[in-house]
Amino acid sequence: MAIAEPFRNHGCDFFVKFIEIFLSMNITFIGTGYVGLVSGIMLSYFGHNVTCLDTDKTKISKLKQGLLPIHEPGLEQYLAICTKEGRLNFADAYSQELQNSSAIFITVGTPSSPSGEADLKYVFEAIDNVSKWASVGCLIIIKSTVPLGTCNLIREYLETKNYKFHIAANPEFLREGCAVEDFLHPDRIIIGTNDEQSRKLLEEIYWSLTSQNVPLVNTDVSTAELIKYGSNAFLAIKIAFINEMANLCEKSGADIKKLSQGIGLDSRIGQKFLKAGPGFGGSCFPKDILALSHIAKKYQSVCRVLDAAIEANGERASDMVKKISEAIGGNLHDKNLAILGLAFKAGTDDVRSSSAIEIIKILQSQGANITAYDPVAITNALMLLPELQYANSAMNACNNADAVVIITEWPEFEQLDIDRLHAIMKSPTIIDLRNILNPEVVIQKGFKYYCIGGYMSALAKS
Ligand code: UGA
């Protein structure tokens, strides 16, 4: 697809070609993490000439060979199309090539510093490097999640060095595992600028989407920065809330699945992000809600719900371990546990701040013997837990287990051969921390079944 795709179906070939040539732009992305790589490849697919730059030479060398350094469904196909059409390039060093870019997206990481604030060292490193090569008047777009005030800070920093660039904030809302779909069908595009020229340029970059009526929110840079944190924090709070409701359901005998459905059908609330589970993880929610809490404190603005959600989620892993321990009789020492799922959610190989990793660490500290399996995340898990025993299939992990603990909602775990599982386990106990199995079926097959916030937990105990 190219920029003017919406018109292609109407037989306006000449017009399409004209728009493509007219709006196609030279764009560089600095940083090839999830956001940079997906956005870079997809903007190239929309017809722009994109260069993805990363100083990690191994990553860039792989990308040049058509190999993705991340697991992201669908992305490989777009990488191949854009490379073949000659609109996508990769670079492993800053160079004068940057002079040709009208827009440079900064998509480097903003990890939590020890205090919980976002660490901006990679952003400023990128700005320093870009400013050495980019042309005067070029638009630098901050796509990394940065605290309120960062774009203005960058502008002031560049002004002290006499560099003349425009700065914009354009936060991203891609979810790992469905980032391509999210890019093609966003709920909205946020454009934060403090000048008309930058706003127009960003609107042209996203023309393929805005021409299909994707809502556009034009605002100032600071509000755009805060929209990103506000969105992630709100969703994290929603999950923390439903997890606490799950605790209440367990104690009162109510059913969390029906509760989520009943609450979520109210269109003002919505059904998404109301699945109770082992706690929110990943490289975004835990980091961003913490950073927003710091921002609020910095401005002496009281935001109690943020801190409550941080605290509730912080206790989730140890609550899950308590649940597992109770399910197998109260003592984890020398118990064989099969852990199914290491990624922080299904559809990704990312294990950063994954509940599975946190839970495994506590289980190990209490003497449990663990064998873990994940369809795609073992390589990454090995870096965090090199001593852990890994299996090459779910069934192999469950062999001779006292209990199976499902932590990531991979579809293949829903399809487990329950009869075979029953035959190979030492004791048929399933602790389903994602509520993906059918309780009636597994209980009827003779398993002790424990889930999150369900009446079935109570039923299994009785
Ligand atoms: C999140 C946001 O959803 C994206 O919009 C945003 O762009 C991204 O962060 C980012 O800031 O870069 P992501 O971290 O990929 O995306 O994952 P989510 O799908 O949002 O899930 C986050 C965590 O919440 C996972 O651990 C997931 O298992 C958990 N979750 C999600 C639940 O426990 N219950 C739910 O109902 C939904």
Side-chain angles (χ1 to χ4, degrees):
M1 166 161 151
I3 291 179
E5 190 65 14
F7 295 95
R8 221 179 271 289
N9 300 337
H10 303 290
C12 316
D13 285 351
F14 173 74
F15 183 56
V16 167
K17 206 76 217 148
F18 177 75
I19 295 185
E20 270 179 26
I21 294 165
F22 187 68
L23 290 181
S24 166
M25 225 177 277
N26 290 342
I27 297 173
T28 298
F29 276 79
I30 311 292
T32 56
Y34 278 93
V35 173
L37 202 52
V38 176
S39 310
I41 293 174
M42 298 315 287
L43 279 187
S44 161
Y45 177 63
F46 284 168
H48 299 295
N49 298 310
V50 174
T51 301
C52 294
L53 189 154
D54 200 305
T55 48
D56 183 334
K57 293 192 185 322
T58 323
K59 229 184 200 184
I60 293 299
S61 143
K62 268 184 156 184
L63 283 162
K64 281 182 174 171
Q65 295 166 51
L67 301 170
L68 283 174
I70 52 168
H71 171 83
E72 193 55 52
L75 192 58
E76 212 168 276
Q77 167 200 340
Y78 291 99
L79 170 68
I81 297 172
C82 299
T83 312
K84 193 169 157 228
E85 290 184 0
R87 287 196 307 266
L88 183 63
N89 291 296
F90 296 98
D92 61 12
Y94 292 87
S95 74
Q96 58 186 18
E97 287 292 309
L98 271 177
Q99 284 175 1
N100 304 326
S101 290
S102 323
I104 299 175
F105 283 86
I106 307 292
T107 49
V108 294
T110 52
S112 289
S113 63
S115 64
E117 285 169 274
D119 185 346
L120 296 175
K121 72 174 173 214
Y122 300 116
V123 172
F124 275 92
E125 221 172 84
I127 292 291
D128 272 336
N129 282 311
V130 163
S131 58
K132 280 182 202 147
W133 299 104
S135 302
V136 170
C138 165
L139 176 62
I140 300 178
I141 304 146
I142 310 298
K143 215 181 224 323
S144 300
T145 302
V146 293
L148 187 60
T150 304
C151 284
N152 287 332
L153 213 65
I154 293 171
R155 181 180 300 112
E156 285 163 21
Y157 175 76
L158 290 170
E159 275 167 10
T160 61
K161 293 181 172 278
N162 238 347
Y163 291 132
K164 304 259 179 287
F165 300 113
H166 296 279
I167 304 289
N170 170 226
E172 198 48 76
F173 302 97
L174 307 176
R175 289 163 301 161
E176 290 182 23
C178 34
V180 170
E181 270 308 293
D182 284 352
F183 197 94
L184 290 171
H185 308 286
D187 288 335
R188 77 294 206 193
I189 295 168
I190 307 294
I191 291 184
T193 52
N194 289 344
D195 66 280
E196 193 56 16
Q197 197 184 329
S198 306
R199 183 187 62 74
K200 274 195 178 146
L201 198 77
L202 264 160
E203 286 187 7
E204 282 170 18
I205 290 174
Y206 286 110
W207 191 82
S208 296
L209 296 171
T210 52
S211 60
Q212 293 178 69
N213 297 328
V214 171
L216 188 65
V217 179
N218 271 312
T219 181
D220 59 281
V221 287
S222 299
T223 308
E225 289 165 344
L226 200 53
I227 286 173
K228 169 69 188 196
Y229 278 111
S231 305
N232 274 4
F234 190 87
L235 292 168
I237 290 166
K238 205 172 171 189
I239 298 165
F241 171 79
I242 206 67
N243 284 342
E244 292 209 317
M245 286 299 105
N247 292 347
L248 178 57
C249 283
E250 281 177 23
K251 292 193 169 140
S252 63
D255 178 357
I256 190 66
K257 275 193 174 177
K258 291 288 172 197
L259 184 83
S260 293
Q261 189 189 8
I263 293 175
L265 279 170
D266 183 327
S267 61
R268 291 169 302 176
I269 297 173
Q271 296 213 296
K272 291 180 183 162
F273 283 70
L274 273 185
K275 285 200 189 98
F280 58 79
S283 62
C284 305
F285 283 2
K287 162 180 82 72
D288 292 348
I289 193 168
L290 209 58
L292 184 55
S293 164
H294 272 277
I295 293 168
K297 288 190 178 86
K298 186 176 150 201
Y299 286 88
Q300 291 174 353
S301 186
V302 180
C303 265
R304 292 183 197 89
V305 284
L306 294 176
D307 294 331
I310 294 166
E311 194 185 336
N313 201 59
E315 287 169 9
R316 201 70 187 150
S318 52
D319 286 353
M320 295 300 101
V321 171
K322 220 165 128 202
K323 191 178 184 68
I324 297 165
S325 175
E326 278 171 17
I328 58 172
N331 186 1
L332 287 160
H333 191 75
D334 257 352
K335 289 284 173 11
N336 298 337
L337 297 180
I339 299 290
L340 298 189
L342 295 160
F344 79 95
K345 63 171 188 177
T348 176
D349 60 352
D350 197 344
V351 296
R352 286 174 290 174
S353 298
S354 167
S355 308
I357 304 293
E358 298 308 309
I359 291 170
I360 289 171
K361 283 183 183 165
I362 308 175
L363 290 171
Q364 283 182 321
S365 72
Q366 297 190 18
N369 306 319
I370 291 169
T371 308
Y373 168 73
D374 188 288
V376 295
I378 292 181
T379 311
N380 286 337
L382 263 165
M383 286 188 251
L384 299 179
L385 299 169
E387 308 293 328
L388 189 71
Q389 184 163 320
Y390 296 93
N392 58 6
S393 73
M395 276 301 158
N396 284 348
C398 298
N399 209 14
N400 202 33
D402 290 292
V404 173
V405 186
I406 299 173
I407 310 189
T408 313
E409 71 282 25
W410 285 108
E412 72 167 80
F413 302 153
E414 287 175 50
Q415 315 295 327
L416 283 175
D417 179 344
I418 290 295
D419 292 317
R420 201 169 142 224
L421 188 65
H422 195 278
I424 62 168
M425 286 183 71
K426 194 167 168 188
S427 142
T429 301
I430 297 177
I431 301 135
D432 179 2
L433 302 184
R434 292 285 186 171
N435 291 354
I436 58 170
L437 297 183
N438 182 334
E440 277 87 2
V441 171
V442 283
I443 290 171
Q444 193 252 324
K445 294 278 181 188
F447 281 90
K448 276 192 182 169
Y449 178 74
Y450 300 84
C451 57
I452 294 286
Y455 67 98
M456 284 299 165
S457 301
L459 203 131
K461 280 179 212 155
S462 62

